[in-house]
């Protein structure tokens, strides 16, 4: 008889705090060898096979497929260094039946090939909830198995990318078509040094709520080809590229300067870590960006920026460096902002909301104290300068509540 222990959910990444239980492979009563896969766990980034760390026998699972579980929580009870399990977890016998003298080990019979699509348990559960036929999906997992990530990808709204010709140049747009009952249109305006790609998660979530979402690259950024380098020229360029409908406007950081000056085109204004509401701005961050010291600059954002986004940022800093210096020079100098949107916000005739991060090291949250009374402000806990990355669902809710 071996020693019975509880097996914890391992930490599968530096930032992982919880995981979703995916496909459970070993069954109660089954023996396993060190290195054999016991189950799959889905984190926010990937699906990982969890191997046995030593020989043993599975007694019982303490979790179910599709369940979210904190790291280090017990997920299974196992026997190590033993040859048999006296009693595996079994369904309770009917009251009238005599208890068997010895509980038989459950026998796992694999499904015949082709009886149903190969898929993780988490993917099957999610597909049932959403009414998706797994047979219509191409799996990216081993032997073509459909994972939860494959299902999520199939449900994402499609995205269009195109240029709009204006007297101020060719403005590049990303667009996410509305899904289901349409509620209106949203324009997303990114911050200095970013581009429309930074709104990918938010754009998808808004589209899934029924909004048609537009996100341009501002002049001097991304794929837009425009010589506009003053705020006034940038506003004119974006205004000339927009569809002839009123929109919910959302501006992040520098994008708030543009959004506030387009208020006459708006149904509402939502400003995230907005510039133009106070004097202070992190001059070290601006200098690092303009000097193409990307790693140092990104340390101020408080969020993990994917390597591919870092590479894209470095490329467009190189491509638009001179224009960005001109834009940044009009915006701020020596750690002080030179542009304000407070008067424009006070005059706005539509609902205005502003969201700050409490410990933002780029634009201080204390700027919320300067906002006019018609602006509803909210301060999120934590460090960072990217509320739409930290809490995208909350940002969607703000627009949904108008």
């Amino acid at each position: 008889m071996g020693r019975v222990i509880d097996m914890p959910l391992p930490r599968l990444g530096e930032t992982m705090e919880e995981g979703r239980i995916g496909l459970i492979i070993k069954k109660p009563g089954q023996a396993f060898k060190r290195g054999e896969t016991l189950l799959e766990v889905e984190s926010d980034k990937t699906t990982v096979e969890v191997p046995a760390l030593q020989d043993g026998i599975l007694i019982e699972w303490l979790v179910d497929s599709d369940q979210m579980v904190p790291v280090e929580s017990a997920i299974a009870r196992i026997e190590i260094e033993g040859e048999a399990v006296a009693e595996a977890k079994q369904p309770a016998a009917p009251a009238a039946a005599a208890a068997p003298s010895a509980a038989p080990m459950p026998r796992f019979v694999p499904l015949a090939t082709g009886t149903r699509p190969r898929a993780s348990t988490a993917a099957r559960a999610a597909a049932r909830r959403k009414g998706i036929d797994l047979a219509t999906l191409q799996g990216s997992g081993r032997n073509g198995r459909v994972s939860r990530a494959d299902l999520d990808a199939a449900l994402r709204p499609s995205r269009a990318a195109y240029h709009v010709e204006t007297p101020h140049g060719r403005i590049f747009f990303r667009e996410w078509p509305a899904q289901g009952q349409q509620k209106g249109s949203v324009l997303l305006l990114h911050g200095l040094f970013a581009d429309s790609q930074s709104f990918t998660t938010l754009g998808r979530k808004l589209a899934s709520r029924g909004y048609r979402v537009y996100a341009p690259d501002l002049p001097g950024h991304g794929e837009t080809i425009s010589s506009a380098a003053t705020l006034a020229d940038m506003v004119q360029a974006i205004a000339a590229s927009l569809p002839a409908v009123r929109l919910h406007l959302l501006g992040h950081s520098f994008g708030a300067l543009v959004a506030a000056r387009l208020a006459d085109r708006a149904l509402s204004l939502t400003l995230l870590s907005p510039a133009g509401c106070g004097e202070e701005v992190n001059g070290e961050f601006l200098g690092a960006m303009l000097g193409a010291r990307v790693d140092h600059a990104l340390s101020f954002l408080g969020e993990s920026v994917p390597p591919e986004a870092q590479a894209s940022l470095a490329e467009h800093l190189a491509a638009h460096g001179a224009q960005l210096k001109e834009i940044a020079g009009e915006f701020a100098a020596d750690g002080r902002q030179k542009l304000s949107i407070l008067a424009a916000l006070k005059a706005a005739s539509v609902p205005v909301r502003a969201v700050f991060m409490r410990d933002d090291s780029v634009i201080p949250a204390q700027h919320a104290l300067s906002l006019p009374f018609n602006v509803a402000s909210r301060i999120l806990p934590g460090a960072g300068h990217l509320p739409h990355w930290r809490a995208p669902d909350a940002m969607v809710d703000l627009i949904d509540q108008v």
Side-chain angles (χ1 to χ4, degrees):
M1 183 73 176
R3 182 164 57 96
V4 176
I5 63 171
D6 287 344
M7 171 185 163
L9 175 66
R11 188 181 299 276
L12 305 174
E14 292 183 4
T15 61
M16 177 178 169
E17 298 299 331
E18 61 180 0
R20 186 185 301 277
I21 304 299
L23 179 65
I24 292 178
I25 296 173
K26 291 295 181 181
K27 305 299 177 182
Q30 282 191 305
F32 51 81
K33 295 290 186 181
R34 178 179 178 179
E36 282 191 75
T37 300
L38 302 179
L39 77 160
E40 293 180 351
V41 173
E42 299 177 9
S43 69
D44 57 346
K45 297 179 180 179
T46 188
T47 299
V48 178
E49 294 180 345
V50 178
L53 300 181
Q54 57 197 113
D55 296 355
I57 300 174
L58 181 69
I59 298 177
E60 63 175 315
W61 287 107
L62 306 177
V63 293
D64 297 315
S65 291
D66 210 30
Q67 178 179 341
M68 292 299 295
V69 179
V71 167
E72 305 300 337
S73 295
I75 60 173
R77 186 158 293 129
I78 62 176
E79 180 184 336
I80 58 176
E81 300 176 354
E83 296 182 356
V85 178
E87 187 173 349
K89 187 176 182 180
Q90 297 288 329
S101 57
M105 295 293 182
R107 180 168 173 262
F108 174 58
V109 181
L111 289 171
T113 303
T115 57
R116 61 174 179 170
R118 295 177 59 85
S120 71
T121 306
R124 292 190 188 283
R128 283 195 299 271
R129 291 195 301 270
K130 298 178 182 295
I132 302 297
D133 182 0
L134 289 172
T136 65
L137 303 183
Q138 177 65 49
S140 61
R142 188 171 56 189
N143 297 322
R145 187 170 63 202
V146 178
S147 69
R148 177 64 180 270
D150 294 325
L151 183 69
D152 290 344
L155 292 171
R156 288 173 189 153
S158 59
R159 184 193 73 197
Y162 52 86
H163 281 91
V164 175
E165 298 286 351
T166 78
H168 310 276
R170 303 177 68 221
I171 310 301
F172 178 79
F173 273 83
R174 286 182 169 86
E175 181 181 334
W176 289 268
Q179 306 296 300
Q181 184 176 1
Q182 298 192 20
K183 297 180 179 179
S185 298
V186 179
L187 179 70
L188 305 178
L189 298 167
H190 63 78
L192 196 60
F193 310 116
D195 60 22
S196 55
Q197 187 170 262
S198 65
F199 285 123
T200 296
T201 297
L202 184 60
R204 289 169 175 167
K205 287 181 176 291
L206 283 165
S208 69
R209 292 274 191 101
Y211 294 98
R212 186 172 186 174
V213 183
Y214 302 93
D217 286 352
L218 295 177
H221 297 77
E223 302 297 322
T224 283
I225 304 171
S226 168
S227 61
T230 67
L231 178 61
D233 288 346
M234 294 174 76
V235 171
Q236 289 182 15
I238 296 302
S241 68
L242 296 180
V245 296
R246 291 174 69 85
L247 308 124
H248 297 283
L249 300 187
L250 183 147
H252 170 242
S253 195
F254 182 88
L257 297 172
V258 181
R261 286 162 174 75
L262 293 171
D264 60 338
R265 304 284 298 271
L267 293 168
S268 68
L269 282 176
T270 302
L271 310 177
L272 311 182
S273 300
C277 299
E279 290 189 1
E280 300 87 354
V281 66
N282 191 320
E284 188 178 353
F285 166 76
L286 296 177
M289 279 295 195
L290 292 173
R293 291 179 286 125
V294 174
D295 289 344
H296 182 52
L298 294 181
S299 68
F300 294 103
L301 298 182
E303 303 290 346
S304 177
V305 179
E308 60 272 18
Q310 295 184 36
S312 175
L313 174 58
E315 287 176 6
H316 98 240
L317 285 170
H320 302 286
Q323 190 174 1
L324 284 169
K325 287 181 179 178
E326 193 173 349
I327 294 168
E330 182 195 25
F331 164 54
D334 300 322
R336 296 287 171 180
Q337 297 185 52
K338 299 191 289 185
L339 301 171
S340 174
I341 60 173
L342 295 178
L345 298 184
K346 185 176 181 179
S349 60
V350 297
V352 184
R353 289 76 49 87
V355 178
F356 293 84
M357 299 294 293
R358 184 187 60 203
D359 301 312
D360 190 337
S361 61
V362 177
I363 292 180
Q366 68 189 32
H367 289 184
L369 300 176
S370 302
L371 294 171
F373 290 117
N374 62 310
V375 179
S377 62
R378 179 178 179 185
I379 297 178
L380 296 180
H385 186 59
L386 305 168
H388 51 299
W389 284 24
R390 177 65 62 88
D393 290 317
M395 304 305 105
V396 176
D397 289 340
L398 283 178
I399 293 174
D400 235 3
Q401 291 164 8
V402 175

